[in-house]
Amino acid sequence: DIVAIKNGKTFYIQVKTTQVTSSSFSVTIGSKSFQRYSSNDCYYIIVARAKENKYLVFTADDIKRMISNEAISKSENKISMSFSQSDGHLYIKNEKVDYSLNSFERIV
């Protein structure tokens, strides 16, 4: 979605938006798109729209690790990220992902 250059370094930013209507929400990423950009400095920003929006920042390496740990499911066509909220924390399956919340400083 966005190509940015900072200090001569190129960054690729994919933005995915989802509507939050309960304590859980999900988003999908196209597998081909992920494969195309995951070797570069690619970041995924999930915009979870609610009364108070949440912005979740993940690196391609974060997503690869969670696919490997089976927290995120991957098929030939798509990667599915399912989030849940419990006790004030945000999870993908059993992995707490609070580190990603509003963490734009991860884009370096």
Side-chain angles (χ1 to χ4, degrees):
D1 294 321
I2 301 168
V3 177
I5 299 173
K6 181 179 178 183
N7 298 327
K9 187 174 179 181
T10 303
F11 299 93
Y12 300 90
I13 300 170
Q14 293 290 308
V15 179
K16 300 296 176 186
T17 304
T18 187
Q19 189 70 38
V20 178
T21 57
S22 66
S23 64
S24 63
F25 56 94
S26 62
V27 67
T28 59
I29 299 168
S31 292
K32 288 181 183 178
S33 172
F34 184 76
Q35 289 172 343
R36 185 177 320 125
Y37 296 108
S38 66
S39 63
N40 298 310
D41 289 314
C42 187
Y43 296 85
Y44 289 82
I45 300 175
I46 312 300
V47 179
R49 297 182 52 111
K51 193 173 193 177
E52 209 172 295
N53 291 343
K54 295 178 190 234
Y55 303 91
L56 311 164
V57 180
F58 294 99
T59 65
D61 286 341
D62 292 331
I63 294 171
K64 287 178 192 176
R65 179 183 47 74
M66 287 188 277
I67 290 170
S68 176
N69 295 343
E70 298 181 352
I72 294 176
S73 63
K74 181 179 185 266
S75 71
E76 184 178 331
N77 297 322
K78 65 182 178 179
I79 295 168
S80 299
M81 301 173 73
S82 296
F83 298 85
S84 62
Q85 302 174 81
S86 177
D87 299 324
H89 297 287
L90 191 61
Y91 295 89
I92 295 179
K93 285 209 175 167
N94 293 326
E95 182 169 337
K96 191 185 299 184
V97 292
D98 292 343
Y99 65 86
S100 69
L101 189 59
N102 299 324
S103 58
F104 293 101
E105 70 278 359
R106 299 186 79 212
I107 302 173
V108 289

